[in-house]
Amino acid sequence: MSIRARKILKITRNIATEKRYGILQPNGPILPKNATLSLSIYALHRDPVNFPDPERFDPERFTQENHVGRSPYAYLPFSAGSRNCIGQKFAMLKMKSLLSKILRNYELLEDPEHKLVLPAETVLKSTSGICVGLKKRSS
């Protein structure tokens, strides 16, 4: 057994380098040889078929009940298959624990003046930052 590094994010693929040439149809392949495929992760994560009302913040999308019937490849940070995130369960537990602690002690406030600027890059992050206000909950 050997340990080797694997690419964790590949969003383009040249068909000529593949052993298989995609989905074949009766009158030939859908994609011509040497075609390059690109995947828009931003669009994939906002597909209304998998994520209704995709621009709304809804952590409930990722509960076990709401995950039924959705492809494990629909959300890439955890994904599935040979490149599945081995820290997925730990990351989710840590995130839930932290979020629970914050929400028990604080109320989150939106800054209506702040506008997110989301460039089309491999990793989605706001170039204008994210502004969230915290208001201590009364006991």
Side-chain angles (χ1 to χ4, degrees):
M1 182 171 159
S2 66
I3 298 175
R4 64 188 175 99
R6 295 177 126 180
K7 291 181 186 176
I8 58 168
L9 184 61
K10 185 173 184 179
I11 58 173
T12 62
R13 171 164 284 172
N14 188 295
I15 300 300
T17 63
E18 291 293 309
K19 292 180 182 154
R20 297 178 305 243
Y21 291 102
I23 302 168
L24 295 177
Q25 294 296 313
N27 41 341
I30 293 175
L31 299 169
K33 189 174 179 180
N34 295 322
T36 298
L37 298 177
S38 292
L39 171 66
S40 171
I41 296 170
Y42 182 86
L44 178 68
H45 290 172
R46 284 156 184 77
D47 180 7
V49 171
N50 288 307
F51 305 106
D53 195 10
E55 293 299 326
R56 183 173 56 91
F57 175 72
D58 182 13
E60 295 296 315
R61 296 178 204 277
F62 302 100
T63 62
Q64 291 294 346
E65 301 83 38
N66 289 331
H67 188 68
V68 174
R70 185 184 319 144
S71 167
Y73 299 97
Y75 190 66
L76 291 184
F78 294 135
S79 197
S82 64
R83 297 175 196 276
N84 188 11
C85 176
I86 61 172
Q88 175 179 0
K89 287 187 169 120
F90 176 72
M92 290 298 282
L93 286 171
K94 199 72 171 164
M95 179 189 65
K96 288 176 184 178
S97 174
L98 178 64
L99 189 58
S100 169
K101 189 169 186 171
I102 291 170
L103 294 177
R104 278 183 282 135
N105 294 296
Y106 297 94
E107 182 180 342
L108 298 179
L109 305 170
E110 177 185 5
D111 180 359
E113 303 294 317
H114 182 72
K115 299 293 179 216
L116 292 177
V117 178
L118 303 174
E121 293 182 6
T122 304
V123 176
L124 184 64
K125 61 182 178 180
S126 175
T127 56
S128 62
I130 298 174
C131 294
V132 177
L134 296 175
K135 179 181 170 187
K136 182 86 171 148
R137 291 186 186 272
S138 55
S139 299

